[in-house]
């Protein structure tokens, strides 16, 4: 019941259907089984990734590496790097030429849609960009290798960007969570193959979510509100009411499902509104919703509740130029006994691939481990 470092600089990307873990490090994609590399292929040969990327501060400053990923099957993996989406065949090592998302546009995550009666199966993503001007933002669907089409576009003035698309087989629909400010902070219901996109909750930071799960009881999500108090919520899809399950110590951008548990991690970041150039370059002032300088990890479910299982302090570098303090997780359901994650912009384990091993999900890390983190 403790955390281990698996690799000094390796990002967890996604799980293959077999349960093996796909990771990225310094221009190479590797496949791990039980923490051991069983396959490795080169994907990016540029100087930035292979050489500059060895310096963790340059890696963060230049936004290197793979930002979002999804396994299409046991051999083919989608990867978002910069403003391009690539497809890698692990068996052959072939990397596609890539699909250009647009200036400043990338997916925060991909969504694999399957089994809905009136929304086509496929992989989807929504445009994620700064977009303070609220220009039109689109939803894209994969047709083939490097071939994506727009299936819906939010009109000008509607949103800043798309956080996530949630496939809900219990309600036979999709949900789109958007951000960030005022009416842009919203939850949308999608039916009839995007012919009907209805805004059901909006204009409150409690609807601003990035990590979402569809449960029989409703939609479980954590809020991503750096200037407001954050909580894990359950939304009732019948009347769109929300119930706070537990408060958390900051905004949430990343999380995952681990067997029958749900994992949420907080972010150490600034307010995000009206950020001046000086604040963008040098700022280290936390938003009001960020309660301390620690990145916190919570794990649990509706039956057992949620508890903090790990935390680590943000490093001393500016928030925006050298990235927020977060924990990143591989995409997909993790049915194994090991929780993999990567701290980013933290004081001790920055950019390391970490693993928490436990056969007892009720007590993942003893209390003294959390106390030792405070004393480092």
């Amino acid at each position: 019941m403790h955390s281990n470092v698996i690799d000094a600089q390796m990002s967890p990307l996604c799980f293959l259907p077999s349960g093996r873990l796909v990771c990225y490090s310094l221009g190479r994609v590797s496949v791990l089984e039980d923490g051991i590399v069983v396959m490795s292929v080169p994907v990016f040969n540029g100087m930035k990734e292979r050489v500059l990327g060895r310096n963790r501060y340059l890696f963060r400053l230049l936004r290197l590496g793979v930002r979002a990923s999804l396994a299409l099957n046991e051999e083919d993996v989608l990867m978002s790097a910069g403003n391009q989406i690539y497809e890698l065949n692990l068996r052959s090592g072939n990397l596609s030429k890539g699909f250009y998302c647009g200036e400043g546009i990338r997916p925060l995550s991909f969504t694999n849609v399957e089994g809905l009666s009136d929304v086509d199966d496929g992989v989807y993503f929504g445009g994620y960009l700064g977009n303070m001007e609220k220009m039109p933002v689109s939803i894209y669907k994969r047709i083939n290798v490097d071939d994506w089409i727009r299936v819906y576009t939010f009109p000008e003035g509607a949103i800043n960007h798309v956080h996530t698309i949630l496939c809900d087989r219990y309600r036979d629909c999709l949900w789109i969570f958007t951000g960030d400010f005022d009416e842009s902070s919203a939850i949308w219901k999608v039916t009839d193959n995007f012919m009907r996109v209805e805004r059901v909750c909006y204009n409150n930071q409690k609807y601003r979510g990035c990590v979402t799960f569809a449960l029989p009881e409703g939609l479980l999500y954590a809020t991503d509100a750096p200037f407001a108090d954050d909580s894990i919520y359950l939304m009732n899809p019948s009347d769109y009411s929300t119930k706070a399950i537990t408060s958390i110590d900051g905004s949430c951008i990343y999380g995952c499902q681990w067997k029958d548990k749900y994992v949420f991690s907080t972010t150490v970041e600034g307010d995000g509104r009206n950020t001046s150039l000086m604040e963008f370059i040098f700022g280290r002032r936390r938003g009001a919703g960020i309660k301390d300088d620690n990145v916190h990890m919570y794990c649990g479910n509706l039956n057992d509740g949620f508890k903090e299982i790990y935390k680590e302090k943000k490093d001393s570098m500016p928030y925006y130029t050298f990235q927020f303090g977060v924990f990143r997780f591989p995409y997909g359901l993790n049915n194994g006994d090991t929780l993999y994650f990567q701290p980013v912009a933290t004081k001790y384990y920055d950019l390391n691939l970490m693993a928490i091993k436990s056969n007892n999900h009720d007590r993942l890390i003893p209390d003294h481990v959390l106390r030792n983190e405070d004393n480092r």
Side-chain angles (χ1 to χ4, degrees), residues 14-54:
C14 61
F15 287 104
L16 298 174
S18 62
R20 296 192 298 176
L21 178 65
V22 180
C23 296
Y24 174 84
S25 178
L26 301 175
R28 302 184 70 88
V29 167
S30 300
V31 178
L32 278 65
E33 188 168 0
D34 296 326
I36 305 299
V37 175
V38 296
M39 180 188 304
S40 183
V41 296
V43 288
F44 303 128
N45 295 316
M47 178 73 71
K48 281 185 178 181
E49 295 287 342
R50 294 187 298 105
V51 180
L52 298 183
R54 295 181 182 276

Side-chain angles (χ1 to χ4, degrees), residues 13-14 16 22 29 69-79 86-90 95:
L13 301 183
C14 61
L16 298 174
V22 180
V29 167
S69 182
L70 179 145
L72 297 172
N73 48 55
E74 194 66 23
E75 295 184 2
D76 298 302
V77 176
L78 284 174
M79 302 187 304
Y86 300 96
E87 300 196 22
L88 172 67
N89 184 275
L90 295 170
L95 183 70

Side-chain angles (χ1 to χ4, degrees), residues 107-109 126-128 161-165 176-180 207-211 224:
L108 186 58
S109 63
Y128 184 71
H161 48 236
V162 174
H163 283 159
T164 190
I165 302 169
I176 302 175
F177 283 69
T178 62
D180 277 333
Y207 305 129
R208 179 178 169 179
C210 297
V211 184
D224 167 40

Side-chain angles (χ1 to χ4, degrees), residues 220 232 245-246 262 264 298-302 304-308:
L220 182 71
I232 298 172
I245 304 301
T246 186
Y262 302 93
F264 300 94
Y298 304 87
C299 182
N301 57 31
L302 294 180
D304 302 325
F306 288 83
K307 61 178 66 175
E308 182 180 273

